[in-house]
């Protein structure tokens, strides 16, 4: 499928909600962004797509649990 790259039409950001201190990390549910990433694809059903998330653009480090991903950098 064609991917609508985050930053063009979609922005996914959250503020740190840790009440005990600023540790510069937060938990993201990357899977919640799949509909936005695949918007504009005319093929249905969308459920036939397999989506994987990686730490970097080289596709070498797979994010094993993208529904509870903790960011690595601020």
């Amino acid at each position: 499928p064609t991917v609508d790259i985050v930053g063009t039409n979609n922005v996914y950001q959250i503020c740190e909600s840790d009440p005990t201190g600023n540790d510069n990390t937060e938990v993201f549910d990357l899977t919640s962004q799949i509909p936005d990433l695949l918007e504009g694809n005319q093929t249905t059903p969308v459920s036939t797509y397999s989506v994987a998330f990686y730490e970097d653009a080289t596709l070498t480090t797979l994010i094993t649990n993208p529904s509870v991903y903790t960011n690595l950098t601020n």
Side-chain angles (χ1 to χ4, degrees), residues 23 28 52 69:
D23 62 1
F28 291 80
Y69 173 72

Side-chain angles (χ1 to χ4, degrees), residues 15-27 70-71 74:
C15 294
E16 182 178 5
S17 63
D18 184 1
T20 60
N22 185 3
D23 62 1
N24 296 318
T25 62
E26 191 55 59
V27 177
T70 301
N71 62 300
N74 183 343

Side-chain angles (χ1 to χ4, degrees), residues 16-72:
E16 182 178 5
S17 63
D18 184 1
T20 60
N22 185 3
D23 62 1
N24 296 318
T25 62
E26 191 55 59
V27 177
F28 291 80
D29 179 1
L30 301 178
T31 61
S32 71
Q33 300 304 298
I34 292 173
D36 284 341
L37 292 169
L38 296 178
E39 71 185 3
N41 286 283
Q42 301 302 313
T43 305
T44 55
V46 174
S47 62
T48 60
Y49 295 126
S50 175
V51 177
F53 295 90
Y54 293 86
E55 292 287 349
D56 54 33
T58 62
L59 305 179
T60 55
T61 307
L62 182 67
I63 296 173
T64 56
N65 193 351
S67 62
V68 289
Y69 173 72
T70 301
N71 62 300
L72 300 177

Side-chain angles (χ1 to χ4, degrees), residues 2-25:
T2 302
V3 175
D4 184 9
I5 298 173
V6 174
T8 55
N9 293 327
N10 307 307
V11 175
Y12 183 39
Q13 62 185 8
I14 56 176
C15 294
E16 182 178 5
S17 63
D18 184 1
T20 60
N22 185 3
D23 62 1
N24 296 318
T25 62

